[in-house]
Each structure stands twice: as structure tokens, then as C-alpha cells.
């Protein structure tokens, strides 16, 4: 049993590396002056559905993976525990390039009142004025794993940092959801979406919904939450080397949920906790908004 457990963790860890390889390839290709293409996947011409808000009532809920579930999970997804949520609303889809472009055109990157202090210092130091891979000379071009292409306004915005996601949410009169709010909303959804198996390697618009009014909770882009990456109540890291796998990173990171167009479908679940520093942009990371009800 111990060997089986170790091999299973290793296989899931390798799936994480497969995803990171795609994001690294994209970054390296973007630095090549010839801007080579990794694939010739065609982009979707679909339109994004209207942005609406789904209300979720308050209550004492449970999040995290049950230890007796029988399926695989990483140690940081446990233990399952209770949490209190106040009533909130969650956007029924991801934020699009067109909506983020409105933020840019309204001077979002020049307005310090929209930014956390660390975020404002970061964009000043690094000269950010748009998401990663957007053409700084023209906001209507973007680099993808299919090469440089026209920016499609209906596609989900991607390659934004937590700081940018938070500033956009503030500009929109909204906020980012907590990871508990996200997981509660995703708990009843089918694990359906634009994963790496689709071969698009790029987020696409979604018109349809899942079991509920929600769309795009899984796949397309990792969704930033407002939650710091910290241990769940009662969490104990495994003994030995496996204890360093997740526990030692529980500082200065923010949680993302849902998977992306580079994530294997079999690798994702509603309880999966991804995490990156708040200034990270090279991952396929995007935005879903929330509001207090």
C-alpha cells in the first residue's frame, strides 16, 4: 500500500509537470523573435454568453476532500471541514478579453486607487500595462501556442496576475471569490470544459451552462481566488520527503481553482487547490467575479 500510494502521488505530480511544460514552452516561444507556433489549433469563433450573477445562500458548508472518498487527492485538499459563508453572488462565466480591455482603456493600470500596495509597486517596477503576451504596441494582438494572432474579445482573459485580477474586480465594483465560495459553487458541476485533451491550448468562449447557471468553472483558465494558500484546520503534512510536497509552500501564495486549457481532465476536481505567488502571470490564469449578496 505504501508503494502504491507513492507511485500514485508521483504520477499526479508528473501530470502537473506536463501542464507546466506547456506554459514554459509558450513563454520560451514568446521570447523568440520569430514567434514560432507549437500547434496550429484553430481558435473558437463563439460568442461569450451574457454576464449574469448567481446567488448562493449563506450557511455552514463543508469543503475539502473526504479521506474515505476512495479517489486520489493531494494532502493539501484535506481534511474536509466546515466553513461559514455569508450570502454571495458569483459571475456565471469568466471575464473576457473585451471586458479587460475596457479596464485598460479606462486607465486601470494608471489608477493607484484600484491596486493593492504590493500590486501597484509591482506594475510600476515591471512596466505592466496589459496582460502577459498582449502586444504592447497593439492591444488587438496576442501571442498564443498557435503563434501571434488577433485578440478575440469574447475569449476569457488569461495570463493575469492576482494583482491584476484584484484590481479589475475592484474597478468592476466586485471582488474575487474566496476558495470556499468557489468550491461550494463548483461542487454540483460536471467536470466538463476546455482541458488539454481538446488540443486548443487556449481558452475559448462558452455559451452553454452546466447543471446550474454556471459555466466555465472547470478548464479554460485557472481562476484566482482571494484566499491565501494556508493549511486547512487540522492539516498535518505527511512524514518524510512527501511532507515537503505541499506544506512548505504555504506562505506568500494565493489559491487558484478549476484547471485550464493546459490541464489534463483526469487531474482536476472541485477540491483541487493550485497556488502561485500573486505576481505570477505565465500560468493560464484568469478572472471570475463575486459580490456580497
Amino acid at each position: 500500500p505504501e508503494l502504491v500510494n507513492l507511485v500514485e502521488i508521483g504520477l499526479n505530480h508528473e501530470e502537473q509537470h506536463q501542464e507546466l511544460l506547456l506554459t514554459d514552452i509558450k513563454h520560451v516561444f514568446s521570447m523568440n523573435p520569430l514567434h514560432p507556433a507549437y500547434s496550429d489549433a484553430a481558435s473558437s469563433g463563439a460568442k461569450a454568453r451574457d454576464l449574469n450573477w448567481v446567488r448562493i445562500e449563506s450557511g455552514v458548508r463543508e469543503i475539502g476532500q473526504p479521506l474515505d472518498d476512495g479517489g486520489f487527492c493531494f494532502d493539501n485538499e484535506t481534511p474536509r471541514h466546515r466553513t461559514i459563508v455569508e450570502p454571495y453572488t458569483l459571475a456565471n462565466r469568466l471575464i473576457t478579453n473585451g471586458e479587460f480591455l475596457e479596464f485598460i482603456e479606462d486607465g486601470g493600470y494608471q489608477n493607484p486607487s484600484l491596486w493593492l500596495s504590493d500590486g501597484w509597486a509591482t506594475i510600476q517596477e515591471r512596466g505592466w500595462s496589459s496582460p502577459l503576451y498582449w502586444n504592447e504596441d497593439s492591444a488587438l494582438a496576442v501571442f498564443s501556442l498557435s503563434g501571434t494572432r488577433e485578440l478575440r474579445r469574447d475569449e476569457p482573459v488569461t495570463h493575469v496576475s492576482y494583482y491584476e485580477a484584484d484590481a479589475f474586480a475592484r474597478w468592476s465594483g466586485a471582488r474575487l471569490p474566496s476558495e470556499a465560495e468557489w468550491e461550494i459553487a463548483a461542487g454540483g458541476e460536471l467536470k466538463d470544459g476546455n482541458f488539454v485533451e481538446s488540443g486548443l491550448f487556449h481558452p475559448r468562449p462558452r455559451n452553454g451552462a452546466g447543471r446550474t447557471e454556471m459555466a466555465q468553472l472547470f478548464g479554460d483558465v485557472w481562476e484566482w481566488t482571494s484566499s491565501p494558500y494556508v493549511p486547512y484546520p487540522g492539516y498535518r503534512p505527511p512524514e518524510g520527503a512527501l511532507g515537503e510536497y505541499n506544506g512548505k509552500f504555504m506562505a506568500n501564495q494565493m489559491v487558484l481553482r478549476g484547471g485550464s486549457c493546459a490541464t489534463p481532465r483526469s487531474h482536476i476536481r472541485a477540491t483541487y487547490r493550485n497556488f502561485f505567488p500573486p505576481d505570477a502571470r505565465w500560468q493560464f490564469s484568469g478572472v471570475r467575479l463575486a459580490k456580497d449578496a
Side-chain angles (χ1 to χ4, degrees), residues 66-259:
L67 290 175
D68 59 355
D69 178 72
F72 174 81
C73 73
F74 288 112
D75 60 275
N76 65 352
E77 300 172 52
T78 65
R80 190 164 178 85
H81 61 282
R82 292 174 297 170
T83 187
I84 298 174
V85 294
E86 299 300 329
Y88 64 99
T89 59
L90 200 62
N92 65 332
R93 62 158 171 81
L94 299 168
I95 292 302
T96 66
N97 287 328
E99 289 160 340
F100 204 89
L101 187 59
E102 292 178 19
F103 166 73
I104 295 174
E105 293 174 342
D106 194 46
Y109 280 87
Q110 289 79 47
N111 185 351
S113 67
L114 298 174
W115 296 81
L116 295 169
S117 178
D118 282 350
W120 181 250
T122 298
I123 68 168
Q124 296 300 302
E125 176 186 346
R126 304 183 189 179
W128 293 352
S129 59
S130 64
L132 184 63
Y133 303 131
W134 284 31
N135 188 329
E136 294 291 344
D137 298 323
S138 169
L140 300 181
V142 63
F143 182 77
S144 73
L145 280 167
S146 300
T148 302
R149 42 176 279 191
E150 176 189 5
L151 182 78
R152 297 186 182 272
R153 292 173 179 260
D154 284 279
E155 291 177 345
V157 67
T158 187
H159 297 296
V160 293
S161 66
Y162 169 80
Y163 294 136
E164 291 163 296
D166 178 79
F168 176 87
R170 210 180 305 274
W171 174 81
S172 302
R175 59 176 175 82
L176 299 178
S178 69
E179 64 170 323
E181 290 173 335
W182 189 97
E183 186 173 323
I184 290 165
E189 290 292 326
L190 293 172
K191 192 175 65 176
D192 184 32
N194 174 23
F195 292 104
V196 71
E197 288 85 355
S198 69
L200 294 178
F201 309 116
H202 196 75
R204 65 184 179 188
R206 293 275 292 283
N207 281 309
R211 289 181 179 177
T212 66
E213 301 171 70
M214 294 291 185
Q216 297 176 298
L217 279 165
F218 296 107
D220 286 309
V221 299
W222 286 101
E223 302 176 26
W224 285 108
T225 74
S226 61
S227 298
Y229 179 53
V230 295
Y232 283 160
Y235 170 79
R236 295 290 184 274
E239 295 183 1
L242 289 181
E244 299 185 0
Y245 185 72
N246 283 308
K248 71 176 182 179
F249 295 107
M250 291 178 173
N252 303 322
Q253 314 259 6
M254 302 301 291
V255 173
L256 302 95
R257 294 298 196 107

